Amino acid sequence: MKKIDGASCKEEESYIEAYLTAHPDFFQSRQTLLESLFLTRDDGNTISLIARQTENLRTQNDSMRDRLKDLITTAETNTKTFDKCKSLVVKLIASKDGTEFFSAIEESFRNEFKSTTYSLMLFGNSERRINHFTSVVSEKYASEHVGLLLQSKKPNLGVLKSSEKAFLFGPSSNKVGSSAILLIRNQAKPIGILSIGSDDDNYFVPEQGTNFIGFVGEVLGLIIPRLIEG
């Protein structure tokens, strides 16, 4: 029998691989041959080609099932977030004055968003406190403490630095595990920053979508100046 060296063996393997690739139905009428083929597993044991294919299909099905489960979970989460944001926006639009407006925000964050704490900082020259969670500060002062957050074009979701939490949430900062930070703009001009905190480190995460909660920020940007002017 002719001995096949390494180079020749690789050529034979390449030829067989190319042939099978060009003739994917080769084993269609060769069931006995197909059943006689065995592969070596990582643990050193052998497994039939058919069993190996079955394992691969099962693994692929499990992976697809997990992906589908993740998609369904994400869709359900987005639906719940949309419902919360829609409810809040409707209440904000229906507010007749500042009292109703701020009450709607607080009620939504406390009951619907299940927030541990929240704060609304509006930018202005006369620093003052409007109520227990709303205050007016200068934009410069805010920039000194949370400058990076003010530069973000999208809502910031996740875990804050200790100094950022202390500035935004004050005495309640130790209760905040994760947060959603929205820069409120009116015609591209920053007019305030809304901070929503949760004691759950994973309640707000960067992977979450920000479209719905960002829309809330846009609505606030339209309504707040009218309240202040009024």
Side-chain angles (χ1 to χ4, degrees):
M1 181 178 292
K2 182 179 179 181
K3 185 177 180 180
I4 302 177
D5 59 25
S8 298
C9 183
K10 290 185 178 296
E11 290 179 3
E12 291 287 342
E13 291 175 354
S14 298
Y15 173 77
I16 294 172
E17 181 179 351
Y19 182 84
L20 292 176
T21 300
H23 300 81
D25 59 345
F26 176 80
F27 291 103
Q28 188 70 34
S29 59
R30 297 174 173 84
Q31 186 67 22
T32 302
L33 173 61
L34 183 62
E35 293 175 354
S36 68
L37 297 178
F38 283 82
L39 302 173
T40 301
R41 306 178 67 166
D42 293 338
D43 57 8
N45 296 319
T46 57
I47 183 174
S48 70
L49 181 59
I50 293 178
R52 181 60 174 269
Q53 289 176 317
T54 301
E55 279 190 356
N56 289 341
L57 288 174
R58 186 179 296 113
T59 300
Q60 292 175 10
N61 287 338
D62 289 343
S63 178
M64 291 180 63
R65 190 180 298 110
D66 291 340
R67 289 178 60 190
L68 180 60
K69 183 179 179 181
D70 290 341
L71 288 173
I72 292 174
T73 299
T74 300
E76 291 175 345
T77 300
N78 285 339
T79 298
K80 292 178 181 178
T81 302
F82 170 74
D83 289 340
K84 295 174 184 177
C85 292
K86 181 180 70 174
S87 175
L88 173 57
V89 167
V90 169
K91 292 176 183 177
L92 294 179
I93 293 175
S95 299
K96 299 181 179 63
D97 53 37
T99 300
E100 286 189 10
F101 177 81
F102 292 119
S103 294
I105 293 178
E106 183 172 14
E107 179 184 347
S108 178
F109 291 159
R110 183 177 63 246
N111 299 326
E112 295 179 338
F113 285 91
K114 305 297 181 183
S115 301
T116 303
T117 185
Y118 34 83
S119 73
L120 175 61
M121 290 185 177
L122 304 178
F123 299 149
N125 297 322
S126 302
E127 296 190 2
R128 65 187 187 279
R129 179 161 292 279
I130 296 177
N131 58 29
H132 67 281
F133 75 93
T134 307
S135 59
V136 178
V137 300
S138 69
E139 184 178 351
K140 180 182 179 181
Y141 179 63
S143 181
E144 292 173 354
H145 292 82
V146 290
L148 291 178
L149 296 177
L150 297 184
Q151 296 175 17
S152 178
K153 295 182 179 180
K154 294 183 178 180
N156 186 289
L157 307 181
V159 178
L160 294 172
K161 297 177 181 177
S162 297
S163 58
E164 293 173 334
K165 285 197 298 183
F167 175 75
L168 295 172
F169 297 105
S172 300
S173 61
N174 61 334
K175 302 177 182 178
V176 178
S178 60
S179 60
I181 311 300
L182 292 76
L183 181 61
I184 304 171
R185 294 182 175 89
N186 179 268
Q187 297 182 355
K189 174 181 172 56
I191 63 170
I193 185 168
L194 174 66
S195 307
I196 312 169
S198 170
D199 56 4
D200 184 349
D201 291 350
N202 298 310
Y203 190 81
F204 294 110
V205 293
E207 292 76 19
Q208 283 178 272
T210 59
N211 289 338
F212 298 142
I213 201 166
F215 178 63
V216 171
E218 293 179 11
V219 172
L220 291 174
L222 293 173
I223 297 178
I224 288 176
R226 299 174 187 173
L227 291 176
I228 295 177
E229 291 172 2

